[in-house]
Amino acid sequence: MSRHSVELKTDEQIILMREAGLATAAALREVRKAIRPGISTLELDAIAEATIVARGGHSNFKLVPGYSHTICASINDEVVHGIPSATRALKAGDIVSIDAGAEIGEWNGDSAMTVIVPNEDGSAVDSDQVRARQILSDVTEGSLWAGIAALAKAEYLNEVGLAIEEFIYSQGKYGILEEYVGHGIGRSMHEDPAVYNYAVREKGFKIQPGLCVAIEPMVVAGNHRTKVLKDGWTVSTKDGSDASHWEHSVAVHENGIWVLTAEDGGAEKLAPFGIKPAALS
Ligand code: MG
Ligand code: MG
């Protein structure tokens, strides 16, 4: 990807992008509240859609040619791009990653989370397999925040991927997807530059005010190799191992960074790194 095609955003544009980010965050929050055994991924899709529309936006996933849903819901060995289905019901102990994005006006948000489906009574399923799934999700989320924290201090974008990779491998033997990476975000959900989740030799884009990126580590319990299922979308692990996906859209500006798809701008999760996100007004 050419670094010349990166559009830097003004403070005013970042403030507008925050509306799309917050609508995306709200959609994921409502989906999280609804996740329970027996609910279908199509029902979750409807909840996300209604939440985004209520905030004056629309789904940007629906703008992707050939895709007609608001979320991707990827269960267990599925990593990303799972298609919501009325016949796909969640089971207690499943590990499900939900990815969603809102467009408001000209501006886009993009965020993903992983949830371990609890029992009917809200308690966690008590098994070694499900505990391992929670740890996989925690490691993936931790790597996302390590990457965001790196962005706050980095000179070049490759420092983000290095921080993500170092965090993941410090936690155990996990696989990091290589064919799917993060991206710039703004007037389109997917823009330059690419944001790798692993160390690359090229320094990448120079971090500067106005850079807006979606950072999205995709981490698996086994080997990183994936396949696309017959539906043409769902990406799952080749070895059947479990997967997790976490994502936030983040803006760099004159006074620091702001996590556009976090309701607190990232304050809570960045505090352990000694980083205070700076709001724009
Ligand atoms: Mg996404
Ligand atoms: Mg994305």
Side-chain angles (χ1 to χ4, degrees):
M1 288 191 196
S2 160
R3 62 189 56 189
H4 302 295
S5 55
V6 175
E7 184 194 9
L8 297 172
K9 282 80 182 177
T10 65
D11 287 0
E12 291 72 23
Q13 290 170 335
I14 290 171
I15 289 166
L16 293 173
M17 277 185 74
R18 179 149 167 73
E19 295 308 311
L22 289 175
T24 306
L28 290 182
R29 187 186 63 226
E30 294 307 313
V31 168
R32 180 194 283 278
K33 279 197 252 171
I35 286 180
R36 55 177 164 74
I39 196 163
S40 76
T41 52
L42 193 64
E43 289 174 277
L44 297 178
D45 188 75
I47 290 166
E49 160 111 71
T51 306
I52 291 170
V53 168
R55 285 179 167 251
H58 55 261
S59 159
N60 53 22
F61 284 25
K62 288 188 171 182
L63 304 175
V64 175
Y67 200 78
S68 53
H69 293 93
T70 297
I71 63 169
C72 293
S74 307
I75 304 171
N76 299 340
D77 61 333
E78 299 169 355
V79 196
V80 287
H81 304 169
I83 305 171
S85 162
T87 58
R88 196 80 192 273
L90 296 180
K91 295 193 288 288
D94 278 347
I95 177 168
V96 57
S97 296
I98 307 289
D99 194 348
E103 184 179 71
I104 296 186
E106 293 187 273
W107 303 100
N108 285 270
D110 188 7
S111 185
M113 65 176 180
T114 297
V115 178
I116 315 300
V117 182
N119 289 312
E120 201 69 64
D121 66 2
S123 64
V125 173
D126 183 25
S127 79
D128 286 343
Q129 182 194 37
V130 173
R131 274 187 287 277
R133 286 175 167 172
Q134 184 62 59
I135 293 168
L136 171 64
S137 174
D138 292 346
V139 167
T140 309
E141 186 185 13
S143 77
L144 168 60
W145 288 103
I148 294 170
L151 179 71
K153 296 176 175 171
E155 197 177 345
Y156 290 94
L157 200 49
N158 71 338
E159 293 164 59
V160 172
L162 179 64
I164 291 171
E165 178 183 291
E166 280 181 345
F167 180 84
I168 292 166
Y169 292 157
S170 77
Q171 301 300 302
K173 209 167 172 293
Y174 295 97
I176 305 172
L177 262 63
E178 292 177 359
E179 308 98 310
Y180 303 90
V181 299
H183 48 90
I185 184 164
R187 295 180 204 273
S188 299
M189 177 170 53
H190 294 131
E191 298 184 348
D192 284 347
V195 183
Y196 298 98
N197 298 309
Y198 44 88
V200 290
R201 197 169 306 153
E202 202 181 303
K203 280 165 122 182
F205 194 76
K206 179 147 176 42
I207 308 297
Q208 53 200 284
L211 178 67
C212 295
V213 289
I215 302 175
E216 51 176 319
M218 290 152 263
V219 181
V220 300
N223 187 278
H224 69 276
R225 287 192 188 82
T226 59
K227 59 185 180 190
V228 176
L229 302 189
K230 283 202 191 82
D231 62 24
W233 287 98
T234 312
V235 175
S236 76
T237 56
K238 268 193 176 160
D239 64 5
S241 62
D242 291 328
S244 173
H245 177 212
W246 281 87
E247 176 178 26
H248 274 302
S249 303
V250 190
V252 178
H253 59 85
E254 213 57 73
N255 302 317
I257 64 164
W258 187 256
V259 182
L260 299 162
T261 45
E263 272 150 16
D264 68 351
E268 183 194 334
K269 300 283 188 178
L270 289 170
F273 297 93
I275 293 166
K276 222 177 148 203
L280 286 166
S281 52

